[in-house]
């Protein structure tokens, strides 16, 4: 393989570039990214960057020394527009092309938008530019903020805004946020954090539309109520960035379909991170984006699937002074047991807690609020257990 092109110059793209060099690829490495920025870390955007506790330099994922070592051609501010049917030519903005022997697709996901969200004062939070714009508006003094969507990004953003002294309401269409991720019982416990953080949580009602002509003035709910707002933050999930692959030979269905080894329908094209649907599921978590590239690159260089990636799902979230960590594969109907710490009034007590999800006498998943050490122990045990069980399924 003489040329490999990594499309997407963010977390998983950078890790793929590192792996290419670490696994001995010494040919031409091209990295295409449509953002103007060098790879930066997104998790702080809704947390310390928004509150001003972290600045832009602290978001950098790489430095000049590593960039020189990678010896790559960085095409930043450049969008990939297509991939030919053989997967040998990446089409770029302005009609330019890159001829390539291998491709790593690492184009991530984009924030889902609401119709009419072009009004001033309406924000999504996915990129550094998004976060800069929101941070600037938040700096103009106390305001009324409505966050649409009570998922992790919505909750973290609400927590950051409340911490800055704004009046915050979160609107969630489901009866309770985060049920698919945590199950109803623990989702209720985490939802209680909003209340404790002084944020109003309105659930079980959809949004009919945004009010305002030039600048947003409110959010209209499905029952006709209007929540006045100076700033609206739309946190209703993300969509995988696959539009540029329309017309390629790849199968696209909520992401780029890959086997368990991140290999697509073309053996010399692999996909990693938020855009990749690996072995039937697509994760939008930092850890998957950093773990998949090792396996994907090994398979790319081998020209076929020789390794598989099925890491134990893991994610974390920081909100209202609580570090929430979850690992494992829970299913509805699992029994949930508080193994350490306790709840107070249905919310995490001071000192946090550790909850185990159990089925047929086995632990399936673990959730912790501010109990990182026992959490890591159980997470490691679960991963070990799974590595003993899973090979049969590969
Ligand atoms: C605000 C925020 C907070 C988060 N917090 C957490 C957290 O606490 N815990 C956790 O586990 N995860 C968190 N995540 C998720 C985590 O950041 C993502 O899983 C991770 O960024 C995925 O990395 P990626 O490289 O696959 O995709 P992305 O980071 O989305 O990067 C993809 C890159 O490809 C570029 N691109 C897209 N299309 C093209 C194209 N056609 N041509 C060229 N370039 C293109 C994009 O602009 C982007 O730069 C958070 C995400 C956000 C946005």
């Amino acid at each position: 393989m003489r040329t490999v092109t990594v499309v997407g110059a963010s977390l998983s793209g950078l890790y793929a570039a590192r792996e290419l060099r670490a696994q001995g690829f010494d040919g031409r490495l091209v990295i295409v990214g449509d953002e103007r920025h060098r790879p930066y870390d997104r998790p702080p955007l809704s947390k310390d960057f928004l509150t001003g506790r972290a600045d832009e330099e602290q978001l950098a994922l790489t430095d000049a020394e590593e960039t020189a070592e990678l010896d790559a051609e960085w095409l930043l501010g450049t969008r990939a527009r297509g991939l030919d049917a053989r997967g040998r030519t990446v089409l770029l903005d302005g009609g330019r092309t890159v001829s390539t022997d291998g491709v790593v697709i690492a184009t991530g996901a984009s924030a889902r938008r609401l119709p009419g969200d072009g009004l001033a004062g309406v924000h999504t939070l996915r990129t550094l530019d998004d976060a800069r714009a929101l941070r600037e508006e938040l700096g103009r003094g106390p305001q009324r903020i409505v966050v649409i969507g009570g998922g992790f990004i919505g909750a973290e953003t609400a927590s950051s805004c409340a911490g800055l002294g704004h009046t915050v309401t979160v609107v969630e269409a489901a009866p309770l946020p985060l049920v698919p991720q945590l199950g109803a019982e623990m989702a209720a416990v985490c939802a209680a954090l909003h209340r404790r953080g002084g944020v109003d949580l309105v659930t079980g009602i959809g949004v009919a539309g945004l009010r305002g002509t030039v600048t947003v003035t409110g959010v209209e709910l499905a029952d006709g109520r209007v929540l006045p707002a100076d700033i609206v933050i739309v946190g209703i999930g993300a969509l995988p960035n696959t539009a540029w692959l329309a017309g390629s030979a790849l199968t696209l269905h909520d992401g780029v379909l890959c086997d368990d080894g991140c290999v697509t329908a073309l053996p010399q094209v692999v996909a990693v991170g938020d855009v990749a649907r690996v072995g039937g599921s697509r994760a939008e978590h930092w850890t998957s984006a950093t773990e998949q590239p090792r396996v994907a690159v090994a398979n790319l260089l081998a020209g076929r699937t020789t390794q598989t990636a099925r890491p134990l799902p893991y994610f974390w979230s920081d909100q209202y002074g609580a570090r929430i960590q979850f690992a494992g594969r829970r299913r509805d109907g699992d029994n949930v047991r508080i193994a350490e710490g306790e709840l107070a009034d249905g919310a995490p007590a001071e000192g946090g807690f550790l909850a185990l999800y159990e089925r047929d006498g086995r632990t399936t998943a673990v959730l912790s609020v501010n109990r990182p050490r026992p959490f890591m122990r159980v997470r490691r045990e679960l991963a070990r257990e799974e590595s003993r069980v899973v090979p049969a399924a590969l």
Side-chain angles (χ1 to χ4, degrees):
M1 223 173 246
R2 287 207 298 248
T3 302
V4 173
T5 306
V6 176
V7 186
S10 183
L11 184 66
S12 61
L14 174 67
Y15 273 68
R18 283 178 182 160
E19 282 296 333
L20 279 158
R21 291 307 190 210
Q23 294 185 34
F25 173 69
D26 61 2
R28 179 180 176 219
L29 174 56
V30 182
I31 304 177
V32 182
D34 64 357
E35 293 186 74
R36 292 171 292 113
H37 313 290
R38 293 251 165 212
Y40 60 88
D41 213 16
R42 288 175 212 274
L45 296 181
S46 48
K47 310 175 184 81
D48 285 357
F49 181 76
L50 209 55
T51 57
R53 280 195 294 268
D55 58 23
E56 287 188 28
E57 279 103 76
Q58 288 164 280
L59 304 181
L61 285 170
T62 183
D63 57 21
E65 193 183 337
E66 186 192 33
T67 308
E69 270 169 26
L70 280 178
D71 189 21
E73 290 169 40
W74 293 82
L75 304 180
L76 296 180
T78 303
R79 178 167 294 212
R81 297 282 177 186
L83 181 68
D84 75 317
R86 291 167 53 245
R88 298 284 184 190
T89 306
V90 179
L91 314 174
L92 305 178
D93 279 334
R96 285 178 298 159
T97 57
V98 181
S99 296
T100 194
D101 305 302
V103 177
V104 179
I105 297 171
T107 45
S110 295
R112 278 184 63 203
R113 311 190 72 101
L114 273 183
D117 67 3
L119 293 170
V122 181
H123 296 262
T124 51
L125 187 48
R126 178 79 201 180
T127 66
L128 175 56
D129 293 348
D130 293 341
R132 277 179 183 164
L134 179 56
R135 186 161 116 160
E136 193 192 311
E137 272 192 43
L138 293 174
R140 293 183 195 150
Q143 300 177 72
R144 295 165 304 176
I145 297 178
V146 174
V147 178
I148 302 176
F152 287 118
I153 290 183
E156 290 177 358
T157 310
S159 156
S160 296
C161 292
L164 290 169
H166 301 284
T167 306
V168 186
T169 304
V170 174
V171 182
E172 165 62 45
L176 198 59
L178 299 177
V179 173
Q181 292 86 350
L182 305 179
E185 208 175 320
M186 287 298 118
V189 172
C190 290
L193 291 169
H194 288 287
R195 197 181 54 225
R196 191 198 283 168
V199 167
D200 202 10
L201 177 63
V202 178
T203 58
I205 183 113
V207 166
L210 300 176
R211 286 278 182 94
T213 43
V214 177
T215 302
V216 75
T217 56
V219 174
E220 183 175 342
L221 302 182
D223 62 4
R225 263 183 298 165
V226 175
L227 304 175
D230 309 304
I231 295 177
V232 172
I233 298 159
V234 180
I236 54 172
L239 296 171
N241 291 321
T242 55
W244 68 283
L245 292 164
S248 72
L250 307 185
T251 313
L252 308 176
H253 176 70
D254 183 35
V256 178
L257 245 65
C258 311
D259 66 11
D260 279 345
C262 301
V263 178
T264 69
L266 296 171
Q268 81 286 6
V269 179
V270 295
V272 289
D274 283 14
V275 75
R277 194 169 177 81
V278 179
S281 62
R282 191 171 68 80
E284 288 184 359
H285 300 309
W286 197 95
T287 307
S288 340
T290 56
E291 289 180 349
Q292 288 165 352
R294 186 183 54 76
V295 166
V297 162
N299 293 334
L300 177 69
L301 296 177
R304 65 192 173 85
T305 305
T306 57
Q307 294 186 28
T308 56
R310 206 169 174 265
L312 190 77
Y314 164 70
F315 56 80
W316 81 93
S317 172
D318 296 316
Q319 39 185 286
Y320 306 106
R323 165 148 289 205
I324 300 170
Q325 292 170 290
F326 179 93
R329 300 180 201 276
R330 62 149 220 102
R331 281 212 309 254
D332 289 346
D334 286 357
N335 180 51
V336 184
R337 179 168 67 82
I338 304 285
E340 283 187 27
E342 56 189 2
L343 304 180
D345 273 344
E350 191 89 8
F353 69 87
L354 186 85
L356 299 178
Y357 295 70
E358 294 168 334
R359 188 189 322 136
D360 302 331
R362 298 171 82 106
T363 302
T364 57
V366 56
L367 170 75
S368 135
V369 174
N370 291 340
R371 295 263 170 154
R373 294 180 75 158
F375 172 84
M376 288 313 286
R377 185 172 38 75
V378 180
R379 179 186 171 197
R380 267 198 305 274
E381 279 165 18
L382 283 171
R384 234 190 340 260
E385 179 78 6
E386 190 164 270
S387 67
R388 276 203 292 274
V389 176
V390 166
L394 295 180

